[in-house]
Amino acid sequence: MERSNNSVVSEFILLGLSESQNLQILFFLGFSVVYAGIVLGNLLILVTVTFDSRLHTPMYFLLINLSCIDMTLASFATPKMIADFLREQKTISWWGCYSQMFFMHLLGGSEMMLLVAMAIDRYIAICKPLHYMAIMSPRVLTGLLLSSYAVGFVHSSSQMAFMLNLPFCGPSVVDSFFCDLPLVIKLACKDTYILQLLVIADSGLLSLVCFLLLLVSYTVIICSVRHRAVSGSSKAFSTLSAHITVVTLFFAPCVFIYVWPFSRYSVDKILSVFYTIFTPLLNPIIYTLRNQEVKAAIKKIRTQSINSKHTL
């Protein structure tokens, strides 16, 4: 990957979330706590699923991969944003900026497809329970996982291909806390109208296809669950509500960011914070608070840990 020969910009300036010094100190403390919560919450899911054999099922295999993506999605820009709250000059190198955009679309595209894989898993578990383990074999799970990352990689590579030959000759100010593609593309010193449409079409097509697949899957599942006995449907609805909540939290910001991607409204900045920081924080909370199996496994691990300390 090479820079355009016409580019004279070697770094970009990030405006961050606020110019107020008092607010930046407050943001530094607040987002430090939030980021710690993201890492600890997703690590808790990873440890719980890994060490409790009862959770060694296809659904939880996909869940721990979602936790890995969420941790990485929160880490591609959040640590730098936290450090920038204490700096006067918030700059990022050309390569750093492109890396942020690449990983954002890689992880975002992969998570979209992984959510589709989780919907397929729930469809088979609820609609074809007797054949669930046979259908969701390790080979199928590996295929779903690799397909998710492959789609994310192709999507991100295509977005970066649009950007590589763009000349940047100034200004180089990005009105955000990280290099977001719709904001960076406006800084090119050439007409980028057609390119903007291609970028929107690329991201929009992937988002639309994934959303429609999720919508169809969960509609079929809900219709199937409604025809079952109340005792059997309560657990299914509890699991489904967690999945649907996560899907809503993930896709809602995408709609606002990419339907009006080149607007100047500060709401885009707020939605970017929600998409890259609060969604990875809320996912483990949703899956632990609404999942009795995970809560029971956490309690079991905690009890075993306390007993082992008493033994020592």
Side-chain angles (χ1 to χ4, degrees):
M1 187 169 69
E2 296 181 358
R3 293 177 56 178
S4 170
N5 292 330
N6 296 324
S7 292
V8 296
V9 171
S10 60
E11 63 180 17
F12 294 90
I13 300 172
L14 303 174
L15 293 185
L17 297 179
S18 174
E19 295 181 359
S20 169
Q21 189 65 33
N22 292 331
L23 276 178
Q24 291 192 55
I25 294 173
L26 182 63
F27 286 152
F28 171 80
L29 297 173
F31 284 111
S32 296
V33 173
V34 170
Y35 182 65
I38 293 171
V39 175
L40 293 175
N42 285 287
L43 281 178
L44 178 62
I45 289 181
L46 287 170
V47 171
T48 302
V49 174
T50 301
F51 287 98
D52 194 318
S53 58
R54 294 174 300 177
L55 301 182
H56 292 176
T57 63
M59 183 181 82
Y60 292 107
F61 172 78
L62 296 174
L63 178 58
I64 61 174
N65 279 279
L66 179 65
S67 292
C68 290
I69 291 178
D70 278 339
M71 275 196 297
T72 313
L73 183 62
S75 300
F76 84 93
T78 307
K80 175 170 174 52
M81 177 191 71
I82 293 172
D84 281 346
F85 287 135
L86 303 179
R87 297 171 181 160
E88 291 187 8
Q89 287 293 328
K90 302 172 177 61
T91 60
I92 185 171
S93 67
W94 188 93
W95 286 110
C97 186
Y98 271 56
S99 296
Q100 283 191 344
M101 291 186 291
F102 176 81
F103 282 109
M104 179 182 179
H105 287 275
L106 169 66
L107 297 167
S110 298
E111 183 158 346
M112 286 183 190
M113 290 303 299
L114 188 59
L115 290 173
V116 172
M118 295 175 75
I120 294 172
D121 170 77
R122 289 300 84 203
Y123 168 77
I124 297 172
I126 294 173
C127 299
K128 300 180 183 295
L130 298 179
H131 305 285
Y132 175 60
M133 295 306 296
I135 296 175
M136 297 301 291
S137 63
R139 182 178 179 180
V140 171
L141 282 173
T142 303
L144 288 172
L145 185 62
L146 292 178
S147 297
S148 299
Y149 288 117
V151 169
F153 180 78
V154 171
H155 166 65
S156 185
S157 298
S158 64
Q159 297 285 59
M160 292 303 98
F162 294 143
M163 294 290 298
L164 285 179
N165 293 322
L166 283 181
F168 292 94
C169 46
S172 58
V173 179
V174 179
D175 188 15
S176 185
F177 61 94
F178 71 98
C179 287
D180 195 7
L181 182 58
L183 298 177
V184 175
I185 201 173
K186 294 192 303 181
L187 302 178
C189 48
K190 64 176 291 187
D191 184 10
T192 58
Y193 178 74
I194 300 299
L195 194 57
Q196 291 175 11
L197 294 179
L198 291 174
V199 168
I200 295 172
D202 191 338
S203 296
L205 180 62
L206 177 61
S207 301
L208 179 62
V209 170
C210 290
F211 181 75
L212 290 178
L213 288 173
L214 289 166
L215 182 64
V216 171
S217 299
Y218 286 120
T219 300
V220 172
I221 294 171
I222 291 172
C223 291
S224 176
V225 171
R226 290 180 61 183
H227 290 87
R228 297 191 174 193
V230 176
S231 58
S233 63
S234 59
K235 181 181 178 181
F237 269 122
S238 177
T239 305
L240 280 177
S241 63
H243 283 268
I244 293 173
T245 303
V246 168
V247 168
T248 303
L249 289 173
F250 184 85
F251 277 93
C254 292
V255 171
F256 283 97
I257 291 171
Y258 283 100
V259 169
W260 298 283
F262 303 102
S263 67
R264 294 177 178 266
Y265 300 115
S266 59
V267 68
D268 286 347
K269 192 181 294 188
I270 297 172
L271 289 170
S272 294
V273 172
F274 187 85
Y275 176 78
T276 58
I277 299 173
F278 286 104
T279 297
L281 174 68
L282 292 173
N283 283 355
I285 295 175
I286 292 168
Y287 280 115
T288 53
L289 292 181
R290 302 187 68 91
N291 192 308
Q292 295 298 326
E293 292 178 333
V294 174
K295 287 195 290 186
I298 293 173
K299 185 177 180 180
K300 178 184 175 182
I301 292 174
R302 185 177 59 185
T303 303
Q304 290 176 345
S305 176
I306 293 173
N307 291 336
S308 63
K309 288 180 180 179
H310 287 164
T311 302
L312 294 174

